[in-house]
């Protein structure tokens, strides 16, 4: 296949470009990294797409101060459909650099994979776009639009407010949200379901001050013990999330996630059982899941023999399609308050909300993508859910109700996105670049 050969020839350039991009420490948090790093990444992306015919591409400031690369590349046929290509150039912080086997901002090859922060999420998808478009050259039979944002990982909603305010600028018939990935290396998939989320901070106060545990313990109310009891009621003995008003019995009908594979992907320790009474796919993509993200309490080292007078916890509740974030937040808060023992004072604050998303999969874009993946990989496309949230998908759906939203990308479970030792399989970049090129050809004749 000529396209396959072209992309294979382009892979050394793809590696060189990903090396350059990974070296830019584009964490969109000025408390951790200089803002100039995101500026460098934005300019890098801008220059590369201008070279590929997006002559009007420009950096557009968004509401949170980040800058998105926005541009268009019309084809010779004005009646041809329009495809919007999406990715983001900002990355997660490296977290514990000591846990990395390779320097986080230096692309390093090990065991056939390319390691470095952003290699998969989402700079690998930027390079994938570039390779696909270079392989097609001047023979792109659709009108193209582009948006590459710079604060997706921070969740500050810069592009989410930009899209409805500039609806005509980004309007398209199909939107490729390239920020997800496949079931496994070599197993192509489109993500069709995203869980929404609610973050809640709960505070518990019982005393005005710390008290000696020997003199007062046993009769004095313990704020930390009260909080632990409240949190324990959010899951049952099997690990199912048990919040009154939220359905924990739904099932997933798409691609199954084998439990043995999940144990390996999640690095579950020997002898430790998986959570929940459903399948792995059910628990990840079809049911609510509450996670305790943090607790304010004395650390073991340095703690005193004292009763904790006040404490707090930060909770993350993931919700499947069909559940309203407002209803989920109300159910969680009501249950926490009802479970508070001894009349301790409870406060709650909703920190963030995001709605779940479910894609429509019966249109021409999905048919063209399934055909492209079949030919690129030699195996049928399957469908996945994702436990994470991409709030922008709901913004796209609300702003462009007639558009098809297709979520794909170079990620897969071994990529370890958001964790130390993130990596990408270069074969996935090549195969997804071929997929995108074939899709653009086939969608033109929908």
């Amino acid at each position: 296949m000529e396209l396959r050969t072209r992309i294979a020839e382009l892979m050394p350039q793809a590696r060189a470009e990903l090396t350059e991009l990974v070296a830019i420490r584009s964490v969109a948090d000025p408390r951790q990294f200089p803002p100039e790093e995101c500026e460098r990444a934005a300019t890098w992306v801008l220059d590369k797409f201008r070279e590929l015919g997006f002559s009007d591409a420009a950096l557009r400031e968004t509401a949170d101060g980040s800058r998105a690369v926005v541009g268009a590349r019309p084809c010779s046929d004005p009646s041809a459909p329009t495809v919007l290509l999406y990715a983001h150039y900002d990355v997660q912080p490296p977290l514990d650099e000591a846990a990395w086997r390779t320097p986080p901002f230096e692309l390093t090859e090990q065991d056939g994979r390319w390691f470095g922060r952003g290699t998969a999420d989402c700079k690998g998808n930027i390079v994938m776009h570039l390779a696909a478009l270079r392989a097609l050259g001047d023979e792109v039979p659709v009108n193209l639009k582009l948006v590459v944002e710079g604060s997706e990982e921070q969740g500050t909603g810069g592009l989410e407010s930009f899209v409805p305010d500039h609806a005509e600028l980004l309007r398209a018939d199909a939107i490729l949200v390239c920020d997800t990935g496949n079931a496994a290396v070599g197993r192509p998939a489109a993500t069709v379901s995203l869980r929404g989320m609610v973050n809640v901070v709960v505070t518990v106060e019982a005393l005005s001050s710390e008290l000696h545990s020997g003199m007062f313990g046993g009769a004095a109310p313990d704020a930390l013990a009260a909080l632990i009891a409240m949190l324990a009621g959010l899951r049952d003995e099997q690990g199912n999330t048990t919040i009154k008003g939220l359905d924990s019995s739904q099932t997933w009908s798409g691609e199954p996630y084998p439990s043995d594979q999940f144990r390996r992907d999640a690095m579950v320790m020997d002898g430790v059982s998986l959570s929940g009474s459903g399948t792995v796919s059910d628990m990840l993509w079809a049911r609510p899941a509450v996670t305790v993200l943090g607790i304010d309490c004395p650390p073991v080292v340095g703690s005193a023999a004292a009763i904790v007078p006040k404490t707090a916890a930060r909770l993350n509740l993931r919700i499947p399609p069909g559940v309203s974030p407002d209803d989920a937040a109300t159910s969680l808060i009501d249950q926490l308050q009802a479970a508070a023992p001894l009349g301790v004072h409870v406060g709650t604050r909703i920190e963030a909300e995001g709605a779940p998303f479910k894609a429509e999969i019966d249109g021409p874009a999905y048919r063209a993508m399934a055909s492209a993946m079949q030919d690129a990989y030699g195996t049928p496309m399957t469908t996945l859910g994702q436990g994470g949230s991409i709030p922008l998908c709901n913004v796209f759906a609300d702003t462009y109700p007639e558009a098809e939203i297709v979520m794909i990308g170079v990620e897969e479970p071994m990529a370890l996105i958001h964790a130390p030792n993130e990596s990408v399989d270069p074969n996935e970049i090549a195969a997804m670049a071929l997929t995108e090129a074939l899709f653009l050809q086939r969608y033109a004749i929908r």
Side-chain angles (χ1 to χ4, degrees):
M1 181 186 298
E2 186 178 357
L3 277 176
R4 191 184 298 273
T5 301
R6 288 183 194 171
I7 288 170
E9 293 170 347
L10 288 165
M11 285 305 292
Q13 182 176 3
R15 175 173 178 160
E17 290 181 332
L18 190 56
T19 299
E20 293 176 8
L21 200 48
V22 167
I24 303 174
R25 302 176 301 161
S26 51
V27 178
D29 184 349
R31 299 170 300 180
Q32 301 182 68
F33 290 89
E36 292 78 13
E37 293 290 284
C38 282
E39 288 290 323
R40 286 178 58 208
T43 301
W44 189 98
V45 173
L46 176 68
D47 290 344
K48 294 299 179 182
F49 280 94
R50 276 182 174 170
E51 291 172 4
L52 291 177
F54 291 82
S55 56
D56 69 339
L59 299 181
R60 305 291 294 266
E61 187 163 344
T62 68
D64 63 4
S66 65
R67 303 180 81 183
V69 180
V70 178
R73 176 181 163 176
C75 72
S76 58
D77 180 4
S79 66
T82 298
V83 176
L84 173 64
L85 306 179
Y86 166 88
H88 63 85
Y89 62 77
D90 67 305
V91 297
Q92 284 282 325
L95 302 176
D96 181 8
E97 294 199 27
W100 283 78
R101 297 192 296 273
T102 64
F105 294 107
E106 181 181 319
L107 189 145
T108 307
E109 182 170 353
Q110 285 192 353
D111 301 321
R113 296 183 68 93
W114 296 346
F115 285 78
R117 177 58 90 218
T119 49
D121 181 23
C122 178
K123 292 176 176 179
N125 287 309
I126 295 173
V127 170
M128 178 265 287
H129 283 319
L130 294 172
L133 295 179
R134 287 195 182 107
L136 289 170
D138 295 330
E139 300 174 1
V140 179
V142 298
N143 298 296
L144 292 176
K145 292 186 178 181
L146 173 75
V147 60
V148 182
E149 70 171 312
S151 61
E152 191 274 343
E153 299 292 7
Q154 294 304 310
T156 47
L159 198 61
E160 293 163 47
S161 59
F162 182 90
V163 170
D165 289 343
H166 302 80
E168 289 306 314
L169 188 65
L170 299 174
R171 187 176 300 280
D173 300 294
I175 302 171
L176 298 190
V177 177
C178 295
D179 192 19
T180 61
N182 291 327
V185 172
R187 291 175 58 197
T191 298
V192 300
S193 172
L194 300 172
R195 284 195 296 195
M197 52 79 71
V198 175
N199 281 358
V200 171
V201 175
V202 55
T203 59
V204 176
E205 296 184 86
L207 302 168
S208 298
S209 174
E210 287 85 355
L211 295 174
H212 191 288
S213 60
M215 296 178 62
F216 295 94
D222 183 328
L224 185 55
L227 177 62
I228 291 170
M230 293 160 61
L231 298 180
L234 298 176
R235 289 180 179 251
D236 64 18
E237 292 182 356
Q238 291 180 288
N240 296 296
T241 294
T242 50
I243 298 174
K244 186 177 180 181
L246 298 185
D247 184 3
S248 292
S249 63
Q250 298 183 79
T251 57
W252 175 254
S253 59
E255 172 79 2
Y257 199 154
S259 58
D260 289 345
Q261 180 186 340
F262 179 79
R263 292 185 68 91
R264 291 192 299 270
D265 294 341
M267 296 176 285
V268 179
M269 299 180 71
D270 290 344
V272 178
S273 300
L274 300 184
S275 293
S277 57
T279 67
V280 170
S281 299
D282 295 338
M283 303 306 296
L284 293 180
W285 304 325
R287 300 183 182 182
V290 67
T291 301
V292 181
L293 300 180
I295 297 180
D296 287 342
C297 62
V300 171
V301 177
S303 57
I307 302 168
V308 174
K310 58 183 179 180
T311 184
R314 183 172 181 244
L315 309 179
N316 174 249
L317 175 61
R318 299 286 175 167
I319 52 175
V323 179
S324 157
D326 290 341
D327 291 345
T330 298
S331 295
L332 174 58
I333 290 170
D334 286 350
Q335 183 155 320
L336 288 168
Q337 291 174 336
L342 306 174
V344 295
H345 296 181
V346 176
T348 56
R349 173 172 59 87
I350 299 174
E351 184 183 62
E353 289 186 357
F357 174 78
K358 187 173 183 179
E360 299 294 334
I361 59 173
D362 57 354
Y366 267 89
R367 290 193 292 273
M369 184 59 69
S371 171
M373 283 188 168
Q374 170 75 56
D375 285 355
Y377 281 87
T379 191
M381 181 185 85
T382 189
T383 56
L384 298 177
Q386 183 169 298
S389 301
I390 306 178
L392 186 61
C393 285
N394 287 295
V395 176
F396 280 143
D398 291 342
T399 308
Y400 313 114
E402 303 301 319
E404 290 184 76
I405 300 171
V406 186
M407 292 179 283
I408 57 170
V410 301
E411 302 163 16
E412 35 74 32
M414 290 178 63
L416 296 180
I417 65 171
H418 292 207
N421 302 304
E422 178 181 349
S423 67
V424 70
D425 188 317
N427 295 316
E428 289 297 284
I429 293 179
M432 287 306 300
L434 177 57
T435 295
E436 181 171 310
L438 291 171
F439 167 80
L440 295 175
Q441 287 182 333
R442 294 172 188 185
Y443 185 57
I445 55 174
R446 54 181 181 159

